[in-house]
Amino acid sequence: MDEIHLRTPGKFTKDVVLLLVMLLFAWGAVADYLDRYRQQTVANILELTLHSQHLAWEAAQRVYQVKADAFFSAFIEHPQTLLSLQQAQDPALRDAARQDLLEHLKPLYLQMQALGLERLHVHLPDSSSFLRFHHPGLFGDDLSALRP
């Protein structure tokens, strides 16, 4: 009869297994490093994008603030506007002042509409509506509950 010999692992087999374990560990370490690098890169890109968006938002706000200030200076602080608003304080002159203000500020309102702004509403100190450019026939209502 033939004898069956069981082979015990030799030094060569142990070395191969050890090498495979070390390669697997090295592969895991490289994969972990690359994943962390990718995560950091994504975080950096997101941070730069957020910063860029923030700067763009601030610039847009400044542009619109400059335009609003220019409109205010050119039209609202205009002597004719101020005169109409002063005359509006007298109930006897109020209707004429409203019509004068409507005619004087109509170019401003048209420019505002071109920019997508649909509302220009003038109030009196007693919280009553003096002139709605988007609805000129509606005035005199008390706004104190809506705009304290």
Side-chain angles (χ1 to χ4, degrees), residues 42-60:
V42 168
N44 289 343
I45 290 170
L46 290 175
E47 186 177 331
L48 288 171
T49 302
L50 180 63
H51 181 68
S52 175
Q53 291 296 319
H54 180 72
L55 291 176
W57 174 251
E58 285 181 342

Side-chain angles (χ1 to χ4, degrees), residues 6-133:
L6 292 177
R7 217 173 140 181
T8 58
K11 184 171 177 355
F12 177 76
T13 305
K14 288 180 184 177
D15 288 344
V16 169
V17 170
L18 182 61
L19 179 63
L20 289 176
V21 168
M22 287 174 45
L23 286 175
L24 187 60
F25 179 74
W27 178 83
V30 168
D32 183 60
Y33 169 78
L34 291 175
D35 186 55
R36 288 175 193 258
Y37 180 78
R38 181 194 59 80
Q39 289 176 5
Q40 186 61 46
T41 302
V42 168
N44 289 343
I45 290 170
L46 290 175
E47 186 177 331
L48 288 171
T49 302
L50 180 63
H51 181 68
S52 175
Q53 291 296 319
H54 180 72
L55 291 176
W57 174 251
E58 285 181 342
Q61 284 182 312
R62 280 192 296 274
V63 166
Y64 282 107
Q65 186 63 51
V66 166
K67 286 182 180 184
D69 291 345
F71 280 139
F72 191 83
S73 295
F75 291 98
I76 307 304
E77 291 180 333
H78 189 276
Q80 187 176 347
T81 303
L82 297 175
L83 177 62
S84 295
L85 292 174
Q86 184 180 16
Q87 290 173 344
Q89 304 306 310
D90 182 350
L93 302 174
R94 195 165 285 164
D95 288 336
R98 182 179 301 106
Q99 189 59 39
D100 289 345
L101 190 60
L102 180 62
E103 289 173 15
H104 171 63
L105 292 181
K106 192 160 193 153
L108 167 67
Y109 185 60
L110 294 174
Q111 287 179 21
M112 289 174 57
Q113 284 182 314
L115 294 172
L117 303 171
E118 297 293 326
R119 303 277 195 254
L120 178 57
H121 192 177
V122 181
H123 310 176
L124 294 176
D126 67 356
S127 294
S128 64
S129 173
F130 177 62
L131 176 59
R132 289 177 174 94
F133 280 79

